[in-house]
Amino acid sequence: MFNLELIGSLIVGLLGIRTALWWLRNWQLREYRWDRLRAHFQTHDGRNDLLNIWFFYGALPRPKLSGRIILILGIFVILGSAEIFLVQNFYSTFWAALIWERTIFLIMGLSVLISAIPVMIQKQRLFAQAKKIIESAPNITRIGITGSYGKSSTKEILVHLLASKFDKENILTNPGNENNEITITRLIIQNKSFFSSLQKEKSGRNPKFLILEIGAYRRGEIRTVCEFIKPQIGILTGLN
């Protein structure tokens, strides 16, 4: 005879894996930010996603593998296992699996919240490292570009104008629209040689430029970037 409870538990478990990956991908797309995730679910498509959690598009959502994804998954497995273990003391295996599956959004949210602690520590370390690199090259011209719209196009125009006179090798800028505090910090750290070469050159002989597009989703984030970049020139494209 078939063990219907076991079969049902396995089906719910497979659905739970799919649901967990769906939530994980959504968190990753919104850069693990509560405000961006909430804004998504306030849209028409976002509300449909919540109502059709078992029937969303795609057979198996696949978030991009990263250190934080692995960290969140580890925390999620620990919290989820603890929940199933506790619920099984009061209900059958099937109901424990079903309750776990229906509360995945809570477990995943808590996992993201806990993972933010080591991420914040690492972020502060990267900020300090980037600030030290910037301070080691006081002769570089630092330009910050921000605004509600037009940041990328303004940056590309400025890079083109300066490159026509000073060569593109003398300009460091963030690619595309990678303009948040982490991508900017990594850009500086990964291009440490660009700044160190300035120490061997006389000021004004071979000028170099750091042109950064700076984005923000909430108040205070641009200030955070400017605290370690200390731009000498600021361009505000427009506010909306």
Side-chain angles (χ1 to χ4, degrees), residues 87-103:
V87 174
Q88 275 186 324
N89 293 328
F90 304 95
Y91 300 98
S92 65
T93 302
F94 171 79
W95 283 106
L98 185 61
I99 292 173
W100 165 76
E101 196 281 331
R102 289 291 82 191
T103 57

Side-chain angles (χ1 to χ4, degrees), residues 18-33:
R18 189 168 182 253
T19 303
L21 290 173
W22 184 86
W23 276 103
L24 195 59
R25 184 172 181 272
N26 269 280
W27 275 109
Q28 188 177 58
L29 288 174
R30 276 83 197 175
E31 298 179 346
Y32 313 105
R33 299 174 61 111

Side-chain angles (χ1 to χ4, degrees), residues 188-201:
I188 294 171
I189 295 173
Q190 291 170 359
N191 292 273
K192 186 178 180 180
S193 58
F194 179 86
F195 298 90
S196 61
S197 62
L198 285 171
Q199 300 173 6
K200 304 175 183 179
E201 300 172 357

Side-chain angles (χ1 to χ4, degrees), residues 130-223:
K131 183 177 180 180
K132 187 176 180 180
I133 294 173
I134 292 287
E135 292 175 345
S136 69
N139 295 332
I140 193 170
T141 300
R142 303 179 297 275
I143 303 173
I145 303 172
T146 192
S148 300
Y149 49 85
K151 296 186 292 295
S152 297
S153 56
T154 302
K155 177 190 66 178
E156 295 301 328
I157 292 171
L158 181 59
V159 168
H160 176 74
L161 291 173
L162 290 174
S164 64
K165 184 174 182 180
F166 300 105
D167 294 331
K168 201 165 185 179
E169 292 75 16
N170 294 332
I171 300 170
L172 179 63
T173 186
N174 38 352
N177 60 349
E178 297 180 7
N179 55 25
N180 63 49
E181 51 192 13
I182 292 299
T183 56
I184 290 175
T185 305
R186 288 175 177 165
L187 174 74
I188 294 171
I189 295 173
Q190 291 170 359
N191 292 273
K192 186 178 180 180
S193 58
F194 179 86
F195 298 90
S196 61
S197 62
L198 285 171
Q199 300 173 6
K200 304 175 183 179
E201 300 172 357
K202 295 182 180 179
S203 176
R205 182 179 177 181
N206 190 23
K208 289 192 173 184
F209 302 88
L210 175 64
I211 304 174
L212 294 176
E213 172 188 341
I214 307 172
Y217 295 104
R218 55 189 174 194
R219 184 175 298 177
E221 291 183 343
I222 294 176
R223 179 177 61 196

Side-chain angles (χ1 to χ4, degrees), residues 147-150 236-240:
S148 300
Y149 49 85
L236 183 63
T237 61
L239 295 178
N240 185 11

